Amino acid sequence: MRAIRRFTVRTVLPAELAPLGELVQNLRWSWHPETMDLFAEVDPEVWERVEHDPVALLGAVSAERLRALAQDRRFLRRLADAADDLREYMTAPRWYQTLEDAPAAVGYFSPEYGIAAALPQYSGGLGILAGDHLKAASDLGVPILGVGLLYRHGYFTQSLSPEGWQQEHYPSLDPGGLPLTLLKEEDGSPARIRISLPGGTGLHAQIWVAQVGRIPLLLLDSDVADNDTTARDVTDRLYGGGGDHRLLQELLLGIGGVRAIRAYCRITGHPEPQVFHTNEGHAGFLGLERIRELTEARLSFDEALEAVRAGTVFTTHTPVPAGIDRFPADMIARQFGGDNAWPTVPVDRVLALGAEPDSGDGEKAVFNMAVMGMRLAQRVNGVSVLHGEVSRGMFQGLWPGFDLSEIPIGSITNGVHAPTWVGREVMELAGRELPTIVERAQGWEGVQKLSDGDLWTIRGQLRANLVTEARKRLRRSWRQRGASDAELTWTDEALSPDVLTIGFARRVPSYKRLTLMLRDPERLRGLLLDPVKPVQIVIAGKAHPADEGGKKLIQQIIKFADMEDVRHRIVFLPDYDMTVGQLLVQGCDVWMNNPLRPLEACGTSGMKAALNGGLNLSIRDGWWDEWFDGNNGWAIPTADGVSDPERRDELEASALYDLIEREVADRFYDRAADGLPRRWLEMVKHTLSSLGPKVLAGRMLRDYVVELYSPAAGAAKALSGDGYAQAKAFAAWKLRVSQAWPAVRVEHVETAGIGDTPELGAAMEVNATIALGELSPDDVEVQAAYGRVGQHDELIEPNHVKLTVGSLDDDGHATFTGVIPLDRTGAFGYSVRVVPFHPLMASPAELGLIAVPEEPAGMTNGTLR
Ligand SMILES: *Cc1c(COP(=O)(O)O)cnc(C)c1O
């Protein structure tokens, strides 16, 4: 019989052990091994049984044991030390506190968070990144307020059928059994937010607070009695359900999230965020809610839009079209129009924000959350240099007339939180030998001084841990698939602690090509069974529940790994989660990644491996395109110009086998007289010293603060001061410029000063006559663009020089002049363009307005000598 309701009865700790409760409630334990040691001491046997989940530990440990601990002087002393350490961590000034003019708080919105395996609220890279973002913010003292949803069934756990088909299970999570506290009003009642839905119903939610070190993470939960069944189920699963369900989740995250922040700040006195960061499109409605707030405080829609944009940062995370969130426009119209409309926010303005430049209207019209994200944020970034470039191409349509390089999408490359991902053994060696790296994240060149022997011993320990744990999991998985213990003695010998170990773990969308390694099964078999230089492969990954194709790929891998002759050398570990991830990135010698370039926006698992002394073997995509330097791992040559996908896979797989056979295995097994693989360890050290400082989430956080959060806070402050005077002026200016723009024209361009045969080093004077219509010369910037020209007279990566205004006549014609340096030989060209100018613009492309000569390319002056 099934229970109709479940809940967790919390242990009442004896007064002496009260600090234990505080330690458990702050998720800092998930990256602080000393606190975990203390938990283990509470009851080592129970600690193992609950798989290192501290809340479960407190629920399971006997009252008798707790009474004994309450009398144990030594334990109480250690407990007091740990509690002091946490208090000091929570309050001491850190990097952020040394900055001037940094925002008082930043709201960070994400649909998923990977903080710890014990809080399964993530599906993959996006969530793990969000978790690492919060943890690094905590370590650096960045005052972020996180916002997300609390999924009552989280993401699924994975097991396998006897045929190797993925099985999904959705465990019921009870917030009472998780490290969460309910946000309450002063009178003790739970704080609530409500969103109105069409038809007069409402969506209510309560707010759970997860304390991630110094960072509060607010998680909205719709499973409350005020809601009808549909509304209660809004936060049932991560990425479950169809369009309606997803829209409700996103309304709750964006709109509800802002309301939750307001409630939290009102109740706790936490400062209000000056900057809002939208981590991927899902949370984009937060901008609409903030526009509503401001329009109800008497700003016009356009004025509110400017004020909101200035303080919003949007990060796009995927170049895969299927990864972009889109809704039918009429669904959005139902939510924000009719009897459910907000009186001060016209529905047509809402629809315009999410309209794709080239999608139709009527029934086929789509509302694109990424596009809305870009229109609601003055600052937009991708997550690696290459991804920034790809995103500029993908969204170029939003800024017609501008060159690719000027599309206002920058990039900040992702990073990973070392204390979460780096093996304790490595941390301890580093702490002993290289304290500056651990304490101040610098001094990476010191890695070269590590002894080869120490390094190799630790790599061996981490590999051995992986092998031991993989055998356990392999046996458990086979038992679940129906095998008996008697048939499974082989699992005790599966994998070897001495064999070159390659890891491959990730979600299984098709672009990640889980099965590329199976392209030529005989070659793979040869690598695995090589009598002298064998390799072993450990694989993990979940397919999205609705992705039959992905499940087939997993099954193909399982079928191969099930074969008797290779099953000791290639294993699939079910249920890829943070625990499996940690095990793999720490224990593998080589981290393999073979996405279809350029579809991997960044990728972070390879960074985790690198920090543990693993070497990357990867297609040059995402972060690896940026930081592969020829000596810190291997680049699998990509055939990304080849249009036939089969042929492309064939070429890339073959290059992969070649690399493993000729370079990777060769280097790993090349041992000196003392048994150490010197050339391998040289590469490990180079990996650590070259990548270490770059791949850290702390570096990423600093970049966000300096490049995005602080400028956004500055812009938001400038616009909001004096009753939003600047927001009003800026909105009025934009309107005036947009209306007058059709009359702006480049009428005439002349040059002087170079004669018939232009030579290198000459200076060319440019005079342009511009029709400004109703605008004044101060409203625009006139630029000469110049540089190399291509075959069709197009300027290639042009330079720009600002022209200065000369005369202005009564008809609105102005002359502008300037000098172009002829600084390169060969085909040279120039042109003139006019863009709007205002000191509050973050990029010349911001308004999407530009005027160029009717004859688009500038004259080419022949060839320079
Ligand atoms: C790091 C990590 C990811 C993301 O890794 P990618 O390299 O971006 O695929 C996904 N899932 C888990 C459990 C992780 O630890």
Side-chain angles (χ1 to χ4, degrees):
M1 189 171 149
R2 285 173 73 120
I4 49 173
R5 212 177 141 222
R6 62 176 275 162
F7 50 88
T8 307
V9 181
R10 288 203 187 189
T11 316
V12 180
L13 291 169
E16 295 85 345
L17 299 183
L20 196 55
E22 284 168 43
L23 287 169
V24 169
Q25 285 297 314
N26 192 316
L27 283 146
R28 188 213 184 197
W29 53 255
S30 67
W31 69 95
H32 196 246
E34 290 80 5
T35 310
M36 299 281 257
D37 287 347
L38 185 75
F39 294 153
E41 239 181 81
V42 169
D43 190 328
E45 185 261 326
V46 176
W47 180 240
E48 288 311 312
R49 183 147 47 85
V50 299
E51 296 180 358
H52 301 191
D53 174 346
V55 183
L57 172 77
L58 290 196
V61 72
S62 71
E64 197 184 323
R65 174 71 187 147
L66 290 174
R67 271 197 301 276
L69 284 175
Q71 308 295 320
D72 179 340
R73 298 253 298 280
R74 207 188 57 88
F75 182 81
L76 292 178
R77 225 171 16 247
R78 286 198 55 192
L79 179 57
D81 285 348
D84 277 350
D85 180 77
L86 178 61
R87 226 160 283 141
E88 133 92 24
Y89 175 82
M90 295 294 285
T91 50
R94 294 180 168 261
W95 170 77
Y96 194 82
Q97 282 65 44
T98 65
L99 304 180
E100 280 169 25
D101 285 339
V106 174
Y108 179 88
F109 287 60
S110 172
E112 49 171 310
Y113 287 92
I115 312 272
L119 195 60
Q121 301 287 317
Y122 58 93
S123 77
L126 182 71
I128 303 283
L129 178 80
D132 281 5
H133 196 94
L134 297 194
K135 292 172 185 175
S138 174
D139 291 346
L140 292 171
V142 183
I144 284 184
L145 247 177
V147 177
L149 301 179
L150 182 76
Y151 304 100
R152 288 300 186 110
H153 298 275
Y155 199 55
F156 70 92
T157 59
Q158 176 197 53
S159 64
L160 300 172
S161 77
E163 294 75 37
W165 193 252
Q166 168 175 299
Q167 313 280 298
E168 296 112 27
H169 316 268
Y170 289 88
S172 291
L173 300 174
D174 167 27
L178 299 171
L180 301 172
T181 350
L182 194 58
L183 181 66
K184 292 191 174 146
E185 300 286 351
E186 260 167 47
D187 65 6
S189 63
R192 284 288 171 83
I193 61 98
R194 176 183 185 277
I195 295 171
S196 60
L197 300 176
T201 59
L203 169 60
H204 302 258
Q206 56 189 359
I207 302 153
W208 295 93
V209 184
Q211 194 64 41
V212 185
R214 295 163 75 119
I215 308 297
L217 168 59
L218 313 181
L219 297 170
L220 285 93
D221 170 15
S222 72
D223 191 4
V224 295
D226 297 349
N227 278 333
D228 61 25
T229 330
T230 317
R232 277 184 97 132
D233 284 346
V234 166
T235 51
D236 57 351
R237 291 173 183 189
L238 176 54
Y239 306 139
D244 283 319
H245 185 250
R246 217 176 65 236
L247 178 61
L248 287 169
Q249 286 191 336
E250 297 187 9
L251 292 168
L252 189 59
L253 177 62
I255 297 170
V258 175
R259 295 179 185 177
I261 283 189
R262 302 298 182 220
Y264 182 81
C265 293
R266 171 173 54 76
I267 294 168
T268 64
H270 191 285
E272 295 279 353
Q274 290 166 305
V275 173
F276 287 76
H277 183 176
T278 319
N279 190 41
E280 192 50 284
H282 312 72
F285 293 123
L286 77 90
L288 294 183
E289 168 65 2
R290 292 171 58 226
I291 289 176
R292 183 195 64 77
E293 291 178 335
L294 292 174
T295 51
E296 291 187 357
R298 307 245 184 115
L299 294 193
S300 74
F301 184 92
D302 287 305
E303 293 160 357
L305 175 62
E306 292 313 324
V308 165
R309 270 171 53 81
T312 305
V313 173
F314 174 69
T315 303
T316 172
H317 281 269
T318 176
V320 183
I324 303 256
D325 221 0
R326 299 155 100 229
F327 293 104
D330 55 9
M331 231 164 114
I332 304 296
R334 265 199 309 281
Q335 174 62 33
F336 291 97
D339 67 347
N340 201 44
W342 286 334
T344 55
V345 181
V347 63
D348 55 327
R349 297 302 302 269
V350 174
L351 291 172
L353 285 169
E356 292 183 355
D358 39 14
S359 90
D361 25 317
E363 283 187 8
K364 288 217 202 67
V366 276
F367 188 90
N368 183 315
M369 295 296 281
V371 165
M372 177 171 75
M374 294 186 188
R375 291 193 176 121
L376 283 175
Q378 201 177 26
R379 288 169 180 79
V380 179
N381 70 299
V383 291
S384 67
V385 169
L386 178 60
H387 177 235
E389 197 178 309
V390 172
S391 300
R392 288 191 284 278
M394 216 168 142
F395 294 103
Q396 193 175 15
L398 295 178
W399 294 274
F402 285 87
D403 288 341
L404 212 51
S405 61
E406 286 183 290
I407 300 303
I409 302 177
S411 69
I412 289 182
T413 304
N414 287 162
V416 297
H417 184 244
T420 298
W421 298 107
V422 177
R424 195 167 178 177
E425 292 84 344
V426 180
M427 278 301 215
E428 282 168 2
L429 176 74
R432 205 166 58 237
E433 306 288 328
L434 309 162
T436 53
I437 289 183
V438 180
E439 283 152 21
R440 287 184 279 132
Q442 46 187 256
W444 287 88
E445 51 307 329
V447 166
Q448 299 298 341
K449 289 189 296 227
L450 292 179
S451 97
D452 282 356
D454 284 353
L455 205 50
W456 190 237
T457 306
I458 282 176
R459 291 293 323 149
Q461 281 167 3
L462 293 171
R463 195 186 311 107
N465 292 349
L466 167 61
V467 168
T468 309
E469 186 61 31
R471 286 174 180 165
K472 241 191 271 175
R473 285 171 186 260
L474 193 60
R475 177 181 280 264
R476 203 188 307 155
S477 172
W478 274 96
R479 288 298 309 263
Q480 256 167 2
R481 292 174 69 187
S484 70
D485 271 333
E487 297 167 87
L488 292 179
T489 48
W490 68 270
T491 57
D492 296 337
E493 312 258 293
L495 304 179
S496 152
D498 301 315
V499 166
L500 168 60
T501 306
I502 300 180
F504 187 101
R506 42 195 45 87
R507 290 179 304 113
V508 191
S510 57
Y511 77 87
K512 298 218 186 213
R513 293 191 296 186
L514 172 68
T515 52
L516 189 73
M517 66 179 98
L518 290 185
R519 189 80 204 177
D520 182 345
E522 286 321 305
R523 264 198 96 177
L524 177 61
R525 181 174 265 111
L527 292 173
L528 298 172
L529 302 179
D530 189 292
V532 188
K533 298 174 186 168
V535 304
Q536 58 192 6
I537 307 184
V538 188
I539 305 162
K542 289 176 174 178
H544 186 279
D547 178 14
E548 295 290 302
K551 294 184 204 178
K552 282 205 184 96
L553 298 182
I554 290 179
Q555 189 175 39
Q556 282 169 32
I557 286 279
I558 310 272
K559 292 266 175 221
F560 184 85
D562 279 357
M563 288 187 214
E564 231 167 287
D565 61 335
V566 293
R567 67 186 183 187
H568 62 301
R569 284 279 156 75
I570 178 166
V571 303
F572 181 91
L573 302 183
D575 205 23
Y576 181 38
D577 67 355
M578 288 183 73
T579 308
V580 174
Q582 283 161 335
L583 198 64
L584 283 170
V585 297
Q586 292 169 17
C588 290
D589 300 293
V590 172
W591 197 253
M592 189 163 88
N593 191 18
N594 48 35
L596 274 172
R597 189 178 190 273
L599 297 183
E600 178 96 304
C602 180
T604 53
S605 53
M607 298 181 177
K608 303 170 193 164
L611 279 179
N612 281 289
L615 301 179
N616 279 272
L617 167 62
S618 172
I619 296 270
R620 288 190 72 149
D621 199 3
W623 77 282
W624 193 234
D625 186 58
E626 207 166 316
W627 290 334
F628 168 65
D629 70 2
N631 296 310
N632 53 8
W634 297 273
I636 306 168
T638 167
D640 65 359
V642 175
S643 54
D644 173 11
E646 288 293 319
R647 176 91 187 112
R648 177 171 174 182
D649 282 1
E650 179 92 25
L651 289 169
E652 295 185 3
S654 156
L656 172 65
Y657 298 129
D658 285 351
L659 265 175
I660 295 177
E661 194 171 86
R662 297 192 196 140
E663 304 210 21
V664 183
D666 210 51
R667 205 177 254 259
F668 184 87
Y669 288 107
D670 176 13
R671 304 296 163 92
D674 56 6
L676 296 178
R678 300 272 175 209
R679 289 199 304 136
W680 186 270
L681 290 167
E682 200 179 291
M683 211 157 172
V684 170
K685 286 183 186 175
H686 179 63
T687 287
L688 286 168
S689 59
S690 65
L691 296 175
K694 299 192 178 109
V695 302
L696 296 179
R699 187 273 311 148
M700 165 178 80
L701 245 291
R702 286 183 170 96
D703 288 352
Y704 272 102
V705 168
V706 173
E707 293 171 30
L708 299 174
Y709 295 164
S710 289
K717 198 166 150 198
L719 286 179
S720 66
D722 195 11
Y724 290 92
Q726 295 273 16
K728 291 177 184 171
F730 192 34
W733 176 83
K734 272 195 181 178
L735 189 65
R736 184 167 63 80
V737 169
S738 306
Q739 283 171 349
W741 201 259
V744 175
R745 270 195 313 279
V746 179
E747 301 243 292
H748 184 65
V749 181
E750 279 174 2
T751 59
I754 50 167
D756 300 336
T757 48
E759 287 181 3
L760 184 68
M764 178 168 71
E765 190 181 312
V766 184
N767 295 296
T769 309
I770 308 295
L772 292 173
E774 302 285 305
L775 298 180
S776 90
D778 294 343
D779 292 323
V780 299
E781 183 163 308
V782 180
Q783 302 167 335
Y786 63 94
R788 196 152 53 92
V789 281
Q791 286 191 333
H792 307 286
D793 284 355
E794 76 282 15
L795 286 164
I796 299 166
E797 294 173 9
N799 290 319
H800 295 101
V801 53
K802 187 181 164 195
L803 306 186
T804 49
V805 63
S807 62
L808 175 67
D809 72 12
D810 294 341
D811 295 337
H813 291 87
T815 56
F816 287 80
T817 59
V819 171
I820 293 178
L822 302 188
D823 56 0
R824 60 163 73 237
T825 53
F828 192 93
Y830 68 91
S831 186
V832 167
R833 64 182 200 168
V834 190
V835 290
F837 175 79
H838 191 286
L840 289 169
M841 283 168 55
S843 123
E846 182 161 335
L847 277 66
L849 299 174
I850 189 166
V852 293
E854 310 265 298
E855 282 291 305
M859 53 175 268
T860 45
N861 252 319
T863 299
L864 291 183
R865 278 172 298 160

